Amino acid sequence: MATRILIIEDETTIAQLERDYFELNGFLVDLCHTGNEGLQLALNEDYSLIIVDLQLPGMDGFELCSQIRKNKEVPILIVSAKKEEIDKIRAFNLGADDYITKPFSPSELVARAKAHLTRYERLLGKKEPVQKSEISIRGLVIDKVAHRVYVRNQEVIFTTREFSLLEFLASHPNRVFSKNELFERIWGMDSSGDIATVTVHVRKLREKVEIDPSNPQYIETVWGAGYRFTV
């Protein structure tokens, strides 16, 4: 069965170009041109991936991304003319998985979408069997089978990407990983991509597992090198 995706883009020419490239690669594509319509489709239909422009009529892409992420765990790719780093960081904070600036290569967009789809399928256990295992470190319990995390006996909810990053770091204790390494391993793309999302996700992990996020005891920053999960 073909993979179904949603493109929310108000510029008709760009929307049609994106649709054409995805359809050439075997995807089923739905198009809409406003934020409000996009939100209704995203919440009421079943999509494997959603592409969102930031400057949309009715509801902008930031709010749209936030509302989708609150309700669904689906890859969200931002495609926008806004190039400032603060916009990228804001998008990642709201749950976006990737950020591509206009003008862009349609072939790269399709390749990135495929990479995210493959990664999500693997994280959700659709293509690879999950090995029974549990990581328990100083009050932090990571259940790999159930994809659940317990902090001091209280369950804490993580997104699929957050869980993947936490599990990876905890599975390689006391080893330093650079942002580029983490981006490549967790996001499944080479280090030429935008690594700002790594910083955002590490901060989210600290907020959820650390007693004092400003003085982390699990996920430490090794200045000039990267991050280390300390046991």
Side-chain angles (χ1 to χ4, degrees), residues 11 18 27 30 49 118 120 147 158 216:
E11 295 186 50
E18 293 174 349
F27 291 84
D30 287 346
L49 180 137
T118 299
Y120 263 68
H147 275 222
F158 287 75

Coordinates of all heavy atoms in Angstrom, one line a residue, residues 11 18 27 30 49 118 120 147 158 216:
E11 N 1.5 28.4 -1.3 CA 2.0 28.7 -2.7 C 1.7 27.6 -3.6 O 2.3 26.5 -3.5 CB 3.5 29.1 -2.6 CG 3.8 30.3 -1.8 CD 5.3 30.6 -1.9 OE1 5.8 30.7 -3.0 OE2 5.9 30.8 -0.8
E18 N 6.0 19.9 -5.1 CA 6.2 18.9 -4.1 C 5.4 17.7 -4.3 O 5.8 16.5 -4.3 CB 5.9 19.5 -2.7 CG 6.8 20.6 -2.3 CD 6.4 21.2 -1.0 OE1 5.2 21.0 -0.5 OE2 7.2 22.0 -0.4
F27 N 4.2 8.0 -3.7 CA 3.4 8.4 -2.5 C 2.0 8.8 -3.0 O 1.8 9.3 -4.1 CB 4.1 9.6 -1.8 CG 5.4 9.3 -1.1 CD1 6.6 9.2 -1.8 CD2 5.4 9.0 0.2 CE1 7.8 8.9 -1.1 CE2 6.5 8.7 0.9 CZ 7.7 8.7 0.2
D30 N -2.1 14.4 -0.4 CA -3.2 15.3 -0.3 C -2.6 16.7 -0.1 O -1.6 16.9 0.6 CB -4.0 14.9 1.0 CG -4.9 13.7 0.8 OD1 -5.0 13.3 -0.4 OD2 -5.4 13.2 1.8
L49 N 3.2 11.1 7.1 CA 4.1 12.2 7.2 C 3.4 13.5 6.7 O 2.5 13.4 5.9 CB 5.3 11.9 6.2 CG 6.4 13.0 6.2 CD1 7.8 12.4 6.2 CD2 6.3 13.9 4.9
T118 N 11.5 5.9 7.4 CA 12.2 4.7 7.7 C 12.5 4.7 9.2 O 12.4 3.7 9.9 CB 13.5 4.6 6.9 OG1 13.2 4.5 5.5 CG2 14.3 3.4 7.3
Y120 N 11.0 6.4 11.7 CA 9.8 6.2 12.5 C 9.3 4.8 12.5 O 8.9 4.2 13.5 CB 8.7 7.2 12.0 CG 8.7 8.4 12.8 CD1 9.7 9.4 12.7 CD2 7.6 8.7 13.6 CE1 9.6 10.6 13.4 CE2 7.5 9.9 14.3 CZ 8.5 10.8 14.2 OH 8.5 12.0 14.9
H147 N 8.4 0.9 25.5 CA 8.7 2.3 25.2 C 8.2 3.2 26.2 O 7.5 4.2 26.0 CB 8.2 2.7 23.8 CG 9.1 2.3 22.7 ND1 9.3 3.1 21.6 CD2 9.8 1.2 22.5 CE1 10.2 2.6 20.8 NE2 10.5 1.4 21.3
F158 N 7.3 10.5 26.8 CA 8.3 10.9 25.8 C 7.8 10.7 24.4 O 7.0 9.8 24.2 CB 9.6 10.1 26.0 CG 10.4 10.4 27.2 CD1 10.0 10.0 28.5 CD2 11.6 11.2 27.1 CE1 10.7 10.3 29.6 CE2 12.3 11.5 28.2 CZ 11.9 11.0 29.5
P216 N 22.6 19.0 35.5 CA 22.2 17.7 35.1 C 23.2 16.6 35.7 O 24.4 16.8 35.8 CB 22.3 17.7 33.6 CG 23.3 18.8 33.3 CD 23.1 19.8 34.3

